[in-house]
């Protein structure tokens, strides 16, 4: 083979490789020789990155945290998500999933509103209007937004302390804080909350829900403002006045909600249980206390301007707002993280966008005199089980809740309170062993201490006090472990050195001695 070199005027002629003008290569040398032609510009040649280097550079650029405020509220990244809602291949499945989730959302929203000490229609209105805002603007594709059982007792305490008239302002303030934190990219702050404290909070809420619903399940009257221990004592002292019909309805709802999913996972167990209890109460003439009259038509969906509280009430009200804001945000971000693990989607879970979505949802609920809402794990996980693909089920379930209140308020008003108590008892029982407890104990068995401190503090002193004590005990545990680890490390090194200097005698050595 003959390789000929022709002089060129371009920069390629200055390459370090020089070839003879005429030369011959043997067959063996021809097989070994390898040439790579590099195309260079006439200007200064630049190194060409390989595909592997380009992929590595893109990965490193993607791993860098984004900075700056999200002033566009993340809408450009959500536009493809909104287009997917109308895909012909998935629209039927998504509509079916939304209707099924709506069947669960109606009784749960009613029960949570009653447990929160607010009118039942407040829960339905909040679920209807906030579900649309949270579904469109949230950071998780398959999440469902609505009233949450874990927040119901916080709302109840706020209503008892500051009055029902301040609830829209509390909801608006929580939404504003969430929106500001999301715009400032503060969604990752939840990772600093100890999992043991979150597990203790969840267990404490579960116990408090169980204790708080006992009087409604038994149709008993207890004084307001009692803590969990005092409520149990009051129920025990008045157990003789139990209404057998109310107790039977509550037990029937609890049993149905546990048995129905085992028959088929897509059965809306809450709707079946509450509907069956309502039908039994009406057909058999049972003496169970119903919800009562509700606004009919569109009168429940009325825009309102939250009233500003008095100046002297702001200090205590700010503490309540911060507590509800922190717990709703933590509940939302933890739930959405769990949902993203259950079924990842093309839109990766974004905690900053999630706070923006929940902030908009809470501010929308406040505009209709609603209550605080979160991304709820029970309805969202059901949405995943129903093979939903887009954000359309969130909008469909909101439309179902809206239609239920606007068209069937007379039917909803006949639902027995004991049946709603059974729904919350079932939900509260599911909180007694939270998933966060298993995770925290797997990491460190001594996380049991902050967990118990948080739970016991909530049950005996209050929710805010229990959470503060839990965080303090978690910090103290961490400091003690650091001190012990530092001291234990020195001891281990010294022991190792002593063993090296003076090793223990072997059995043969002892015999010789």
């Amino acid at each position: 083979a003959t390789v000929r070199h022709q002089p060129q005027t371009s920069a390629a002629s200055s390459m370090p490789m020089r070839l003879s003008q005429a030369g011959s290569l043997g067959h063996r040398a021809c097989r070994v020789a390898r040439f790579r032609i590099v195309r260079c510009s006439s200007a200064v040649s630049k190194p060409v990155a390989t595909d592997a280097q380009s992929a590595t550079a893109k990965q490193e650029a993607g791993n860098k945290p984004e900075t700056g405020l999200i002033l566009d509220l993340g809408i450009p990244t959500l536009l493809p998500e909104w287009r997917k809602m109308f895909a012909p291949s998935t629209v039927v499945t998504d509509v079916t999933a939304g209707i099924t989730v709506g069947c669960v959302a109606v009784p749960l929203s009613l029960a949570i509103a009653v447990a929160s000490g607010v009118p039942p229609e407040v829960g339905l209105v909040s679920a209807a209007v906030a579900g649309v805002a949270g579904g469109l603007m949230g950071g998780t594709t398959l999440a469902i937004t609505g009233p949450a059982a874990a927040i119901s007792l916080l709302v109840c305490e706020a209503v008892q302390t500051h009055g029902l008239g301040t609830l829209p302002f509390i909801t608006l303030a929580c939404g504003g804080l969430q929106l500001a934190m999301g715009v400032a990219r503060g969604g990752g702050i939840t990772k600093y909350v100890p999992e043991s404290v979150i597990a203790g909070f969840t267990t404490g809420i579960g116990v408090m829900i169980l204790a708080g619903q006992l009087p409604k399940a038994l149709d008993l009257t207890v004084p307001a403002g009692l803590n969990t221990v005092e409520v149990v004592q009051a129920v025990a002292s008045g157990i003789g006045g139990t209404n057998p019909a109310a107790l039977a309805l509550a037990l029937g709802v609890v049993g149905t909600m546990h048995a129905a999913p085992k028959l088929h996972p897509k059965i809306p167990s809450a709707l079946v249980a509450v509907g069956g209890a309502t039908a039994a109460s009406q057909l058999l003439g049972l003496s169970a206390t119903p919800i009562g009259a509700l606004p009919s038509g569109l009168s429940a969906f009325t825009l309102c301007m939250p009233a500003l509280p008095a100046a002297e009430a702001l200090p205590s009200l700010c503490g309540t707002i911060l507590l509800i804001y922190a717990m709703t945000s933590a509940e939302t971000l933890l739930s959405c993280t769990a949902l993203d693990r259950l079924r990842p989607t093309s839109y990766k879970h974004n905690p900053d966008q999630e706070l923006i979505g929940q902030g908009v949802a809470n501010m929308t609920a406040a505009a209709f005199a609603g209550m605080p809402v979160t991304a709820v794990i029970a309805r969202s996980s059901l949405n995943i089980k129903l093979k939903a693909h887009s954000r359309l089920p969130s909008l469909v379930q909101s439309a179902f809740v809206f239609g239920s209140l606007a068209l069937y308020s007379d039917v909803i008003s006949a639902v027995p309170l004991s049946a709603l108590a059974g729904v919350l008892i079932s939900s509260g029982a599911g909180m007694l062993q939270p998933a966060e407890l298993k995770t925290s104990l797997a990491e460190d068995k001594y996380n049991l201490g902050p967990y118990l401190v948080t739970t016991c503090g909530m049950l005996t002193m209050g929710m805010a006090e229990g959470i503060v004590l839990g965080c303090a005990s978690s910090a103290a545990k961490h400091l003690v472990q650091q001190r012990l680890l530092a001291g234990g490390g020195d001891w281990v090194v010294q022991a190792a050195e002593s063993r090296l200097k003076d090793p223990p005698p072997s059995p043969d050595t002892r015999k010789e001695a």
Side-chain angles (χ1 to χ4, degrees), residues 236-441:
S237 60
I239 195 70
T242 300
N243 184 348
L247 177 59
L249 292 175
L251 292 177
V253 169
V254 173
T256 303
M257 290 190 65
H258 281 80
K262 296 180 180 179
L263 297 177
H264 198 283
K266 296 184 180 181
I267 294 178
S269 57
L271 182 66
V272 173
V274 173
T278 305
S281 176
Q282 296 295 316
L283 295 176
L284 300 178
L286 301 179
S287 59
T289 305
I291 289 178
L294 296 176
S296 59
L298 300 178
S299 59
F301 298 91
T302 305
L303 287 172
C304 71
M305 179 62 69
L308 293 175
E312 57 272 11
L314 284 178
S316 61
L317 189 61
C318 288
T320 301
I321 291 172
L322 290 176
L323 179 61
I324 295 179
Y325 154 73
M327 290 300 105
T328 51
S329 301
E331 176 80 10
T332 292
L333 295 177
L334 290 172
S335 299
C336 291
T337 302
L339 291 173
D340 192 57
R341 293 173 183 172
L342 284 176
R343 183 175 162 192
T345 58
S346 58
Y347 182 87
K348 187 178 180 181
H349 165 62
N350 187 342
D352 300 324
Q353 187 64 46
E354 193 61 50
L355 285 183
I356 292 175
Q358 293 303 314
V360 174
N362 275 303
M363 296 173 74
T364 306
F368 291 88
M371 59 188 295
V373 296
T374 70
V376 282
I377 187 67
R379 277 156 272 179
S380 301
S381 59
L382 176 61
N383 192 32
I384 291 176
K385 292 179 181 178
L386 295 171
K387 309 297 183 183
H389 295 84
S390 69
R391 298 171 183 258
L392 185 59
S394 181
L395 278 62
V396 173
Q397 68 93 26
S398 295
F400 187 91
V401 175
F402 173 84
S404 300
L405 180 58
L407 302 176
Y408 301 103
S409 58
D410 53 345
V411 177
I412 297 176
S413 62
V415 174
L417 289 175
S418 58
L420 298 180
V423 173
L424 284 178
I425 288 173
S426 179
S427 300
M431 297 181 183
L432 298 181
Q433 292 183 345
E436 294 85 2
L437 176 60
K438 298 179 181 179
T439 305
S440 61
L441 291 182

